[in-house]
Amino acid sequence: MTDAPSAATADSAADERPTVEINRRLVYIIYAALMAAMFLSSMDQSVVSTALPTIVGDLGAVAHEGWIITSYLLAIAIVMPIYGKIGDLYGRRWPFLFAITIFVIGSLASALAGSFWILVAARTFQGLGAGGLVILSQAIIADIVSARDRGKYMGPMGAIFGVASVAGPLLGGYFTEGPGWRWCFWLNVPIGLTALVVAFFALKLPMQKSTRPFDWWGTILLTLFTSGIVFLTSWTSVAPSGKYDWSNPWLGALLVATIVAFGLFILVETRVDEPLVPLRLFRSSVFTVSVLVALILGITMFAALSYLPTFLQMARGAGPTDSGLLMLPMTAGVMLTAVVSGLLITKTGKYRIYPIMGMAITTAGIAWLTRLTGSMSMILFGAMIFVLGFGMGLVIQTIVIAVQNAVDPSEVGTATSTNNFLREIGAAVGTSIFGTLFTSRLTTNLHDVMDKIPPEDLPKGLLDGDLTPTVVKNLPEPLHTQVVDAYVNAMAPTFWFLVPIAAIGFILSLFLRNKALSTQAGLVAKGQVDEPDAPFKDAAPAPAS
């Protein structure tokens, strides 16, 4: 493969691109606003993890618990390419403000939800805003900071994800044990409104006009095939054996519709003037390898993050807050390697080694999680998830830098959104499949346990299917041990599904190569700012290898 050709930055006559003055002080103000937005979005991917058993228990939907997470991730995945393309065509300020607004409204609706499926719908709407917060934050950094200097900014963004992955479960646990799980969503409202006001006054970025039409057909088809992929991996007729029930005609129809939608999407993207996802970007080996690694990372990372707190609460008897604290070693691993690798990339101009090391360590960490037991030491558990976080931190933001550096500055939003889109598709699919395999095994295991006990002797929570951590903790022996074993024996083997996928990611990372990091910020390259000061030219270029 060869590097992707620069995208046409035509429409110079039609585009009105007012220049703005970017200096170090403004960079820091914008960066603070972006960090707040990233934290808000990232935290909401994990805040429900410790509250999840209680939420589904209260709403009577234990068998469908994965949809609270999957619906959020699916919505994020669908809108990422849309935000990326709109930002490239028209500027990023107003899309960013719009994303915060949608996120706040979705949070409010989630807090007020009166049933499980209304909560799922509200979480979906919330994800429509969260996707913009993630993608536009990373694209704006590319606009105001050069690729060579970007590592020291992207590193803390990766660390923010690590902080959020602990702050989310901790807050979720605190709210579940205190004022109630609905505060997982109420919290976003004042924070989101504050971020909206700050961003409105601080985020002064140039807007532009374009005569190039937006790719509406591509957007519709992307939504259809993305939803089809997630529905297929979450299909309710999956048997306890893990095999699909192909006698159900709706399953076959869904599979055909998904394949057709994907084929039509590829066709449309080769025909329209301004494709949502330009396929020519995949001519770059750096771009292609990076986005495929992002896909693999999404599958493995979010499945583990979503269900490990469930293991701690159900199998270990940890409270929601305690289960959040017990996830702290993973955060430490992510923060350490995300920040250090970012600084080293800025210093050396090389990034290839970090995804290779990261995927190797991540694969080893996931394989280690197959050794989970109900009676294991929490020190050993902490070591397991520290290794997993250590590997992930080396990859998360490094591949974003590689992707942004591989394309023309006029397409940095589209490239970044494609990378994150595939990561979130991986997250949705990985969480769906992991959740389906886990819950199908769990259902079978619990039925085996309950079949041995007369119905009149079963505790009310077990009999009604409203199985919460409190119900499990208060079960008498030997029923308590039997239910705990049912959880452990359902979850630990499910991690074997992730091991070969992570190994494929490691093999793919070996094909990544270093490409000299640009020393020019995106807005400078597009002529939208005057020559900036020190924040954009702290480092000298490094040779490609």
Side-chain angles (χ1 to χ4, degrees):
M1 297 182 181
T2 58
D3 290 339
S6 296
T9 56
D11 300 310
S12 57
D15 288 357
E16 296 179 6
R17 300 179 176 180
T19 61
V20 295
E21 181 183 354
I22 298 292
N23 52 51
R24 182 180 290 274
R25 177 178 175 275
L26 186 57
V27 167
Y28 290 155
I29 293 174
I30 293 175
Y31 185 63
L34 300 182
M35 290 282 279
M38 284 284 288
F39 179 77
L40 202 62
S41 176
S42 299
M43 186 181 69
D44 230 64
Q45 296 188 36
S46 60
V47 71
V48 299
S49 58
T50 45
L52 191 58
T54 301
I55 292 173
V56 297
D58 287 349
L59 299 179
V62 173
H64 305 291
E65 70 175 61
W67 276 108
I68 294 180
I69 298 172
T70 301
S71 61
Y72 184 75
L73 297 178
L74 173 60
I76 288 177
I78 290 173
V79 299
M80 274 184 170
I82 299 172
Y83 280 111
K85 176 58 70 175
I86 290 177
D88 282 345
L89 290 178
Y90 308 110
R92 309 194 209 281
R93 180 174 186 263
W94 286 108
F96 187 78
L97 297 175
F98 175 80
I100 297 179
T101 303
I102 294 297
F103 183 83
V104 170
I105 295 174
S107 298
L108 182 63
S110 297
L112 296 172
S115 70
F116 176 79
W117 292 111
I118 290 178
L119 176 59
V120 169
R123 285 280 287 171
T124 303
F125 191 78
Q126 189 183 28
L128 298 179
L133 298 184
V134 174
I135 187 60
L136 292 172
S137 294
Q138 293 179 338
I140 290 170
I141 285 294
D143 281 341
I144 63 176
V145 179
S146 72
R148 178 63 193 268
D149 206 34
R150 207 169 296 155
K152 65 184 181 183
Y153 292 88
M154 285 294 196
M157 278 192 163
I160 277 289
F161 174 83
V163 172
S165 70
V166 162
L170 282 175
L171 287 172
Y174 169 75
F175 291 140
T176 301
E177 294 179 325
W181 58 262
R182 295 180 186 276
W183 277 92
C184 295
F185 309 110
W186 281 119
L187 178 67
N188 294 331
V189 177
I191 296 177
L193 290 175
T194 302
L196 179 64
V197 172
V198 172
F200 181 83
F201 290 103
L203 194 62
K204 301 296 185 181
L205 296 175
M207 296 297 291
Q208 58 201 52
K209 296 179 181 179
S210 175
T211 58
R212 293 169 285 176
F214 187 78
D215 181 13
W216 291 109
W217 280 111
T219 300
I220 294 171
L221 291 168
L222 177 137
T223 301
L224 291 176
F225 86 74
T226 301
S227 300
I229 290 172
V230 175
F231 290 147
L232 281 168
T233 54
S234 307
W235 191 253
T236 55
S237 61
V238 174
S241 62
K243 297 180 180 179
Y244 281 91
D245 178 13
W246 292 107
S247 64
N248 189 325
W250 288 105
L251 179 59
L254 178 61
L255 176 61
V256 172
T258 302
I259 294 174
V260 170
F262 178 74
L264 291 175
F265 174 77
I266 297 298
L267 179 63
V268 166
E269 297 307 273
T270 61
R271 301 290 183 87
V272 296
D273 294 334
E274 190 61 41
L276 191 67
V277 181
L279 301 182
R280 55 184 160 70
L281 295 180
F282 289 91
R283 298 174 189 170
S284 166
S285 62
V286 174
F287 179 87
T288 301
V289 171
S290 297
V291 298
L292 290 177
V293 170
L295 173 67
I296 299 296
L297 187 66
I299 293 174
T300 55
M301 177 173 63
F302 284 97
L305 285 175
S306 299
Y307 286 95
L308 283 174
T310 297
F311 162 79
L312 292 170
Q313 292 183 60
M314 292 296 199
R316 294 291 302 178
T321 304
D322 289 340
S323 65
L325 285 171
L326 290 170
M327 294 296 292
L328 187 61
M330 176 181 283
T331 299
V334 171
M335 291 180 63
L336 175 64
T337 51
V339 173
V340 171
S341 63
L343 293 174
L344 290 174
I345 289 171
T346 295
K347 181 178 180 180
T348 65
K350 305 291 183 66
Y351 53 79
R352 177 177 181 266
I353 187 61
Y354 305 111
I356 294 174
M357 293 173 54
M359 289 310 303
I361 296 171
T362 297
T363 303
I366 292 173
W368 201 2
L369 287 173
T370 63
R371 309 298 297 173
L372 288 173
T373 65
S375 59
M376 70 184 302
S377 162
M378 286 296 95
I379 295 177
L380 179 59
F381 177 79
M384 288 179 172
I385 62 175
F386 175 81
V387 169
L388 186 62
F390 193 95
M392 291 175 177
L394 290 168
V395 185
I396 294 175
Q397 298 299 334
T398 304
I399 55 177
V400 176
I401 296 174
V403 163
Q404 292 178 340
N405 189 61
V407 302
D408 186 271
S410 65
E411 292 185 312
V412 71
T414 300
T416 307
S417 65
T418 302
N419 176 84
N420 288 338
F421 167 74
L422 289 175
R423 190 189 71 190
E424 296 300 331
I425 282 290
V429 170
T431 303
S432 297
I433 295 178
F434 191 94
T436 299
L437 294 175
F438 167 59
T439 54
S440 63
R441 285 184 175 133
L442 176 60
T443 300
T444 300
N445 292 349
L446 289 176
H447 282 167
D448 291 342
V449 170
M450 290 186 285
D451 285 345
K452 300 174 184 177
I453 303 174
E456 61 272 14
D457 294 338
L458 287 173
K460 187 178 186 302
L462 278 179
L463 190 61
D464 296 341
D466 298 337
L467 194 62
T468 66
T470 301
V471 171
V472 174
K473 189 174 182 179
N474 293 328
L475 289 175
E477 292 294 351
L479 184 57
H480 175 267
T481 299
Q482 292 172 342
V483 171
V484 167
D485 288 343
Y487 264 88
V488 175
N489 293 334
M491 180 166 289
T494 307
F495 280 103
W496 281 116
F497 152 71
L498 299 177
V499 173
I501 297 176
I504 292 172
F506 167 68
I507 295 172
L508 286 171
S509 68
L510 296 175
F511 294 92
L512 183 65
R513 67 179 182 86
N514 281 309
K515 185 176 184 292
L517 295 175
S518 170
T519 57
Q520 201 172 44
L523 290 178
V524 178
K526 292 186 290 185
Q528 293 180 299
V529 297
D530 297 328
E531 183 66 20
D533 62 4
F536 303 98
K537 50 183 182 182
D538 286 343
S545 61

